[in-house]
Amino acid sequence: MEFAPEDYTRHYIMQALFKLMSENEYEKISVKDIVEKAGVGRATFYRYFKCKEDVIVYYFDHNTQKFIFSQRYFPRCKDDYIKTVKSVLTTFKENIKPFKLIRKARLEYLYLDYLNKNFVTTFENDYPDSEKYTPYIYAGMLFNLSMAWLDNDCNDTVDNLAKIIVNAIYFE
């Protein structure tokens, strides 16, 4: 996946924030610290982000775009859903370090808000006749399972968790 020039800048800022989060408490990290680590100016930071939390939301957006780019089909049966959930969980597991930093900083709510927003949008676009609370069920399930899995250092297998999630949806 190719980056536009402004995406490189955002990416440098994102990497700088996560590097700083691995070395310091989140609350003690300033925008000045981030821009110095990223090698960009303060105005550049504010061109793309309003605050530090926006950098983390960009991280979620970036990974979601990579995930969407890798998906080439619309799930139509239980096996398709298992494959999709496995892909989501694999992406999560590949990003365990940033998620641990997010959890350590007590910013998990950003992840839940992000999941809620994206599930609502997906359901509005792809399943317009669904109940209005259904997207929140999916987002909550994925959030809670991923946080519990993270707390367990992602030791359970992707295959096992994907089956658990899909079986809960299919009531098996």
Side-chain angles (χ1 to χ4, degrees), residues 20-21 29 37 42-43 51 59 61 74 81 121 132 142 158 163-167:
L20 289 166
M21 287 173 69
I29 299 169
K37 183 68 106 177
R42 193 174 183 87
C51 60
Y59 169 75
D61 279 334
F74 190 76
Y81 280 102
T121 300
K132 67 180 179 179
L142 181 58
V158 167
K163 288 177 185 170
I164 290 169
I165 289 172
V166 174
N167 285 340

Side-chain angles (χ1 to χ4, degrees), residues 111-121 135-140:
Y111 180 49
L112 180 58
D113 290 347
Y114 186 82
L115 290 173
N116 282 332
K117 181 184 90 168
N118 282 282
F119 271 98
V120 166
T121 300
Y136 298 102
I137 293 168
Y138 283 83

Side-chain angles (χ1 to χ4, degrees), residues 36-53:
E36 285 176 2
K37 183 68 106 177
V40 300
R42 193 174 183 87
T44 300
F45 178 92
Y46 287 111
R47 181 178 308 132
Y48 298 115
F49 305 107
K50 293 178 186 166
C51 60
K52 296 184 300 185
E53 289 80 6

Side-chain angles (χ1 to χ4, degrees), residues 79-93:
D79 288 339
D80 287 349
Y81 280 102
I82 289 173
K83 187 175 180 179
T84 300
V85 171
K86 283 168 68 171
S87 183
V88 169
L89 294 172
T90 298
T91 300
F92 184 88
K93 188 172 184 175

Side-chain angles (χ1 to χ4, degrees), residues 7 12 21 54-55 94 118 125 131-132 160:
D7 288 333
Y12 294 143
M21 287 173 69
D54 287 351
V55 179
E94 290 169 350
N118 282 282
N125 293 335
E131 294 291 329
K132 67 180 179 179
N160 185 46

